[in-house]
Amino acid sequence: MLRLRRGVLAQVLSSLSASPVSPLHRLISAAAPAISPNPSFAVEEYLVSTCGLTRPQALKASAKLSHLKSPANPDAVLAFLAGLGLSDADVAALVAKDPQFLCASVERTLAPVVAGLSGLGLSRSDIARLASLSRYSFRYRSIVSKLQYYMPLFGSFENLLRALKKNFYLHSANLDDVVKPNVALLRECGLGACDIAKLCISQPWLLAANPERLQAMVACAENIGVPCGSAMFRHALHAVAFLNEDKIAARVEYLKNTFRWTDAEVAIAVSKAPTVLNRTKEFLQRRSEFLISDLGLEPAYIAHRPLMLAYSLEGRLRPRYYVVTFLKENGLLDHGRDYYYAVKMTEKVFMEKFICPHKDAAPYLAGDYVAACRGELPARFRFT
């Protein structure tokens, strides 16, 4: 049996050694005698036959493993990964992305990492998923201290995994020189723990960004009219994350032209809904045509309610307009009722307030609304 000194890994391996499954799992119970260098050991062939890499993957990976003269250490690493519960496909993907993982010391590095992560409360399946995502970072003991910091920051291990799937380089960022100063800056901007977690789950690279770059982003967010400490500041940072001043200026100009806004109106719209800067031209143009040309809404009205620009045109804006107009034309709704009032509420509340109360007077309304949400136009919704 492989001599893994950490009790936690020994228990994992013993629980799997009785299962005659894939070649990787059989490595767990294989003897591990000292193996002398084997001149005939072919790294590329080993990567294909034992690790499951494709021939092109093996050819590329073998260049980083040319110093290997024996399968002894790779065999131990494969047994270790199988003991964690990684499938053959997971192992092949990991080795293809990080061939030098096969050179890591099981006893000096990998087993202590597992023991440390187990000490943080991670299960074997958690550790297996982490090993698949973090690649080379799993070969360094510092991953334990980094997770000890990241998990409270993100709120949970699952949230951290979501961030790592978007940016696995998060593990390689320097905590003291980069990550912690960035977190401190975000807190100075008024973001609480929950806001920081939400921002960094969607944009995890922010934590690993050069602190000077993050400071520039903060200034940019303030320049578009969203001050630090405001409820929209997190959204403003998200909006300007990949935009420089020239791009922001160009998008603001497009918004002005598309929605016929004045400088003051576009400033109001952007400050209330910063993510409008991230919408495509086609997305914005279609909403302008519907809200201004079809519905006749005033540009100023939209500027003060820019959140409606984020809603689905086919699944929300258009169908709810049909319902509100139908009810008004049939005397079932006060003509003074605001359209935005109907648009902003949740689907459940909309059904309770605009559909269900009229099931006797308009029993077909619910079906027509569902059809409209599918992109159809029922005859009763064809207004003159």
Side-chain angles (χ1 to χ4, degrees):
M1 185 67 77
L2 294 173
R3 297 178 181 178
L4 303 175
R5 296 176 180 174
R6 299 290 174 172
V8 59
L9 188 56
Q11 293 175 4
V12 170
L13 296 181
S14 63
S15 69
L16 293 174
S17 60
S19 302
V21 284
S22 68
L24 290 182
H25 284 73
R26 285 197 293 272
L27 283 170
I28 297 171
S29 56
I35 300 177
S36 57
N38 182 355
S40 63
F41 175 62
V43 173
E44 184 180 331
E45 193 59 39
Y46 180 88
L47 292 171
V48 174
S49 61
T50 305
C51 300
L53 273 65
T54 64
R55 186 63 64 177
Q57 287 176 326
L59 180 61
K60 181 179 179 180
S62 62
K64 298 181 180 181
L65 301 173
S66 58
H67 61 286
L68 280 179
K69 305 302 180 185
S70 162
N73 200 82
D75 281 354
V77 171
L78 294 178
F80 171 86
L81 293 174
L84 283 180
L86 272 73
S87 67
D88 290 359
D90 289 334
V91 171
L94 175 59
V95 173
K97 293 172 182 175
D98 181 22
Q100 292 180 333
F101 202 104
L102 294 175
C103 303
S105 170
V106 171
E107 293 196 16
R108 292 194 304 272
T109 303
L110 301 182
V113 164
V114 168
L117 295 175
S118 297
L120 297 180
L122 299 188
S123 66
R124 177 165 63 93
S125 62
D126 290 337
I127 297 173
R129 287 189 292 165
L130 184 64
S132 297
L133 285 176
S134 55
R135 305 179 190 178
Y136 61 84
S137 299
F138 203 88
R139 296 190 274 114
Y140 298 92
R141 294 192 187 189
S142 60
I143 191 175
V144 177
S145 59
K146 287 183 177 179
L147 253 71
Q148 190 173 19
Y149 176 80
Y150 282 134
M151 284 199 296
L153 180 66
F154 282 91
S156 71
F157 179 70
E158 292 300 326
N159 285 343
L160 175 58
L161 281 184
R162 289 171 59 192
L164 288 174
K165 287 178 181 179
K166 294 184 177 181
N167 189 341
F168 69 90
Y169 289 111
L170 193 60
H171 269 319
S172 62
N174 187 294
L175 280 183
D176 293 328
D177 295 338
V178 177
V179 178
K180 291 182 180 180
N182 284 342
V183 171
L185 176 59
L186 293 175
R187 285 175 176 155
E188 290 175 5
C189 292
L191 273 65
C194 185
D195 285 331
I196 293 175
K198 289 179 179 178
L199 177 64
C200 295
I201 288 171
S202 61
Q203 302 283 356
W205 66 271
L206 287 176
L207 292 178
N210 184 307
E212 292 182 357
R213 183 182 179 189
L214 184 58
Q215 289 175 347
M217 286 175 50
V218 168
C220 191
E222 291 183 304
N223 288 339
I224 64 172
V226 185
C228 285
S230 68
M232 296 303 298
F233 193 75
R234 169 171 65 88
H235 301 283
L237 281 176
H238 186 281
V240 303
F242 296 101
L243 302 177
N244 56 35
E245 292 184 3
D246 290 339
K247 287 184 178 180
I248 291 175
R251 296 193 180 193
V252 167
E253 190 64 25
Y254 182 80
L255 286 169
K256 286 173 58 180
N257 295 333
T258 303
F259 292 96
R260 308 172 195 174
W261 284 335
T262 64
D263 289 341
E265 288 168 347
V266 74
I268 291 172
V270 171
S271 66
K272 286 178 173 287
T275 53
V276 72
L277 293 171
N278 303 132
R279 301 297 181 179
T280 65
K281 290 183 177 180
E282 179 186 5
F283 182 97
L284 296 170
Q285 182 63 41
R286 293 184 65 205
R287 278 147 186 78
S288 172
E289 292 172 356
F290 177 70
L291 296 173
I292 296 178
S293 302
D294 297 347
L295 270 63
L297 297 181
E298 291 295 328
Y301 179 92
I302 301 172
H304 284 83
R305 300 162 184 82
L307 288 178
M308 73 168 65
L309 301 180
Y311 297 139
S312 168
L313 180 59
E314 292 76 13
R316 192 160 185 158
L317 294 177
R318 201 185 302 275
R320 294 193 183 186
Y321 163 72
Y322 291 151
V323 170
V324 170
T325 303
F326 172 84
L327 293 175
K328 287 182 177 180
E329 290 199 351
N330 287 275
L332 298 174
L333 189 69
D334 180 3
H335 281 266
R337 186 66 64 88
D338 188 23
Y339 169 64
Y340 183 59
Y341 171 76
V343 168
K344 68 179 182 179
M345 59 183 58
T346 65
E347 184 70 10
K348 179 182 178 181
V349 175
F350 180 78
M351 293 293 292
E352 291 174 350
K353 291 186 176 294
F354 286 85
I355 304 293
C356 294
H358 310 290
K359 60 184 179 181
D360 293 330
Y364 38 76
L365 183 58
D368 285 350
Y369 173 64
V370 171
C373 289
R374 292 197 303 261
E376 301 172 14
L377 181 58
R380 281 175 289 268
F381 286 167
R382 293 189 175 95
F383 311 111
T384 57

